[in-house]
């Protein structure tokens, strides 16, 4: 076992801008090493001492002069040539994934799916970069410990911190889960402002330090407008790279249609959620299909589709909170996984998926400069295109206009966060988002 510890004669480091903890598991030839690594901060240009005991490793330990920003952590700094390993045929190049709100319930499910290889594949090494807050930092350390104890061979690095400018450095995926929940008596306009400030700062950090082609999925509510704020504060990253999570709504809609039709959920395809992730969202049964047939040909009860089905999807999150006393976490994590896989896996021929994306240049006549859930297809390269072969009727158009009006009102409310002058809130109603309370 090798233990490397950075110590300092100076007083203990106090939490200020950021904290980092990193670890890795690896397989070298036929020897499996699990090396704990503890790190505490010390002033720059001081001497780092490492003790290495009882290790029979096929590579030598190399000491390196400390840099202002370390480019690796854990055992890779000491015993392992990661770059050389990446160049072998057995592994793909390491990808870096940032997750905000990493100590929360959604992330507690999501992180282990990422680390297991379920999302990016069984031959894709990853580095997890976890963003928390000063208040959640101890819990974040606990999350890192659990990941460490799980011995995932694909999880090569984990770092934790509270400064997005450090955590987001060079990341290729940013999953922005963390957001302030809506408290008792809080107006929705206040929630938009509070969370908007968080996502404005995270957008600036991504713009400054992330990969120029980083893919961003915003989960924290109100996710459509938070995504718009984030992209507006990251002008050097393509606006097309930002997504608001509406995949959970799509999954819920597929489930209810399958139950009504008496089929398994994989028989439901072409399901679109239009608009905002709120109670104005539009689950589109007009273009959806069951066993390849239009839903309205399979489910003859059109009143049920227009009323009960639509309302059930719009309010599903709130009902779950009433039943369970907390918002959905596991199913949200599953939907984040589904959203990522839809971008890194080619969309099946003739099908599509839902995502909240930037509307500028859309073919549907929806207002420009919003983040609006629409039907998308992907070639599996992380990018997407909007689906053109969809149809509309008066019912669908009326519903879409309502959710569009809500998003335009939200945009006016956060104008001060997207560089469009003073914010003015004239929200058309309090359409509570699932999980806000």
């Amino acid at each position: 076992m090798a233990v490397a510890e950075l110590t300092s004669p100076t007083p203990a480091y106090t939490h200020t801008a950021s904290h980092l903890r990193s670890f890795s598991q690896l397989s070298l030839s036929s020897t499996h090493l699990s090396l704990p690594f503890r790190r505490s901060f010390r002033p720059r240009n001081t001497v780092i001492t490492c003790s290495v005991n009882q290790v029979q490793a096929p590579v030598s330990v190399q000491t390196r002069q400390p840099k202002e920003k370390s480019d690796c952590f854990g055992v890779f700094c000491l015993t392992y040539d990661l770059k050389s390993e990446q160049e072998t045929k057995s592994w793909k190049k390491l990808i870096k994934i940032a997750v905000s709100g990493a100590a929360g319930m959604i992330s507690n499910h999501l992180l282990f799916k990422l680390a297991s290889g379920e999302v990016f594949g069984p031959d894709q090494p990853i580095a997890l970069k976890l963003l928390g807050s000063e208040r959640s930092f101890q819990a974040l350390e606990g999350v890192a410990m659990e990941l460490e104890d799980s011995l995932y061979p694909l999880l090569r690095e984990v770092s934790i911190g509270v400064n997005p400018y450090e955590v987001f450095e060079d990341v290729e995926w940013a999953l922005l889960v963390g957001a302030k929940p809506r408290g008792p008596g809080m107006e929705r306009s206040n929630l938009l402002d509070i969370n908007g400030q968080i996502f404005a700062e995270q957008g600036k950090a991504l713009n400054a330090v992330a990969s120029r082609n980083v893919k961003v999925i915003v989960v924290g509510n109100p996710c459509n407008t938070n995504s718009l704020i984030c992209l507006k504060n990251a002008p050097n990253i393509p606006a097309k790279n930002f997504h608001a999570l509406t995949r959970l709504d799509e999954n819920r809609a597929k489930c209810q249609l399958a139950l009504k039709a008496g089929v398994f959920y994989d028989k439901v395809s072409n399901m679109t959620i239009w608009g905002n992730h709120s109670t104005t969202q539009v689950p589109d049964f007009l273009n959806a299909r069951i066993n390849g047939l239009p839903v309205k040909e399979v489910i003859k009860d059109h009143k049920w589709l227009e009323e009960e089905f639509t309302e059930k999807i719009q309010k599903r999150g709130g009902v779950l909170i009433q039943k369970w006393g907390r918002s959905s976490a596991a199913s949200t994590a599953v939907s984040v996984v589904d959203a990522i896989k839809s971008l890194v896996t080619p969309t099946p021929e003739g099908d599509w998926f839902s995502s909240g994306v930037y509307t500028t240049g859309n073919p549907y006549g929806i207002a420009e400069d919003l983040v609006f859930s629409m039907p998308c297809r992907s070639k599996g390269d992380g990018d997407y295109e909007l689906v053109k072969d969809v149809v509309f009727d008066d019912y669908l158009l009326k519903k879409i206009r309502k959710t569009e009006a809500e998003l335009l009102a939200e945009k006016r409310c956060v104008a001060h966060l997207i560089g469009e002058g003073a914010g003015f809130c004239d929200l058309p109603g309090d359409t509570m988002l699932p999980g806000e309370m």
Side-chain angles (χ1 to χ4, degrees):
M1 180 71 70
V3 177
E5 185 171 0
L6 309 186
T7 59
S8 172
T10 58
Y13 174 75
T14 57
H15 300 330
T16 54
S18 68
H19 321 267
L20 292 173
R21 171 187 170 86
S22 304
F23 70 90
S24 300
Q25 303 91 16
L26 65 159
S27 176
L28 296 176
S29 299
S30 60
T31 304
H32 182 79
L33 304 180
S34 177
L35 305 180
F37 178 84
R38 299 197 304 275
R39 179 185 180 120
S40 59
F41 277 82
R42 62 184 290 118
R44 200 187 315 164
N45 299 326
T46 55
V47 177
I48 298 176
T49 60
C50 299
S51 63
V52 180
N53 301 301
Q54 301 176 1
V55 171
Q56 301 297 324
V59 289
S60 62
V61 175
Q62 297 181 351
T63 59
R64 302 173 12 151
Q65 292 298 319
K67 300 192 301 184
E68 183 175 356
K69 280 188 177 295
S70 179
D71 60 4
C72 67
F73 302 98
V75 294
F76 296 114
C77 290
L78 303 173
T79 64
Y80 195 55
D81 186 351
L82 181 60
K83 182 177 180 180
S84 176
E85 172 69 6
Q86 288 174 354
E87 293 172 353
T88 69
K89 294 181 179 179
S90 59
W91 298 108
K92 294 179 179 178
K93 181 180 178 182
L94 181 92
I95 58 174
K96 298 179 180 180
I97 306 162
V99 181
S100 75
M105 289 177 58
I106 295 171
S107 295
N108 193 45
H109 295 276
L110 175 61
L111 294 172
F112 296 88
K113 291 180 176 293
L114 292 167
S116 71
E118 177 182 341
V119 184
F120 291 98
D123 58 350
Q124 177 60 71
I126 68 168
L128 287 175
K129 308 187 74 175
L130 311 183
L131 179 65
S133 64
E134 292 283 353
R135 186 169 57 87
S136 70
F137 190 76
Q138 187 171 348
L140 204 59
E141 290 180 311
V143 171
M145 291 171 66
E146 278 211 283
L147 286 165
E148 187 175 38
D149 294 344
S150 297
L151 299 179
Y152 289 115
L154 292 170
L155 183 57
R156 300 306 180 86
E157 296 181 29
V158 167
S159 60
I160 63 177
V162 299
N163 183 346
Y165 287 86
E166 294 182 1
V167 175
F168 291 166
E169 186 171 8
D170 297 327
V171 297
E172 293 143 289
W173 288 84
L175 312 178
L176 306 184
V177 180
K180 182 179 177 62
R182 182 174 178 177
M186 182 184 292
E187 295 292 335
R188 188 147 177 255
S189 58
N190 293 334
L191 184 73
L192 282 163
D193 182 64
I194 293 170
N195 278 329
Q197 293 181 49
I198 294 171
F199 285 88
E201 185 64 21
Q202 291 182 358
K204 292 173 184 176
L206 288 166
N207 194 63
V209 301
S211 163
R212 295 301 82 185
N213 198 36
V214 62
K215 303 298 188 293
V216 183
I217 298 180
V218 176
V219 182
N221 284 324
C223 63
N224 292 65
T225 298
N226 286 341
S227 182
L228 180 68
I229 293 167
C230 197
L231 75 85
K232 288 290 188 177
N233 283 275
N236 295 332
I237 298 171
K240 193 177 183 183
N241 289 15
F242 290 80
H243 298 256
L245 184 73
T246 57
R247 188 55 173 267
L248 179 56
D249 305 306
E250 176 188 328
N251 289 351
R252 288 167 169 167
K254 286 181 173 178
C255 176
Q256 295 305 311
L257 290 176
L259 288 171
K260 183 69 172 179
V263 300
F264 200 56
Y265 62 82
D266 64 349
K267 303 301 181 184
V268 183
S269 64
N270 304 84
M271 186 68 227
T272 307
I273 300 296
W274 295 94
N276 200 4
H277 176 61
S278 75
T279 57
T280 67
Q281 66 176 265
V282 187
D284 178 3
F285 54 82
L286 179 64
N287 289 284
R289 292 180 172 268
I290 297 175
N291 278 320
L293 297 173
V295 164
K296 293 179 75 172
E297 291 183 14
V298 178
I299 299 175
K300 303 294 187 179
D301 188 349
H302 296 173
K303 183 178 181 182
W304 179 86
L305 289 169
E306 293 182 0
E307 297 178 4
E308 185 176 339
F309 165 72
T310 298
E311 184 175 343
K312 182 173 289 189
I313 305 311
Q314 291 172 336
K315 298 183 178 180
R316 179 77 167 183
V319 172
L320 190 146
I321 293 171
Q322 292 173 357
K323 298 284 187 181
W324 206 19
R326 57 186 181 184
S327 60
S328 54
S331 58
T332 301
V334 168
S335 69
V336 176
V337 169
D338 289 342
I340 298 170
K341 289 169 74 173
S342 289
L343 292 170
V344 300
T345 306
T347 306
E349 184 68 28
D351 201 1
W352 59 70
F353 60 91
S354 300
S355 188
V357 294
Y358 197 49
T359 57
T360 296
N362 78 88
Y364 315 117
I366 294 167
E368 304 273 292
D369 206 32
L370 297 174
V371 170
F372 198 95
S373 186
M374 298 181 286
C376 305
R377 289 193 182 108
S378 177
K379 296 178 182 177
D381 56 359
D383 202 354
Y384 68 92
E385 61 181 12
L386 294 176
V387 177
K388 296 179 180 178
D389 49 336
V390 294
V391 297
F392 300 88
D393 61 11
D394 290 342
Y395 171 86
L396 181 57
L397 286 171
K398 181 179 179 181
K399 292 290 185 180
I400 288 175
R401 293 303 170 224
K402 181 177 180 181
T403 196
E404 177 189 60
E406 181 180 59
L407 282 169
L408 287 168
E410 288 187 10
K411 181 184 175 184
R412 290 191 292 271
C413 201
V414 299
H416 58 298
L417 298 173
I418 59 175
E420 296 188 3
F424 172 71
C425 288
D426 58 343
L427 298 175
D430 194 356
T431 51
M432 185 185 75
L433 291 159
E436 278 188 345
M437 298 301 288

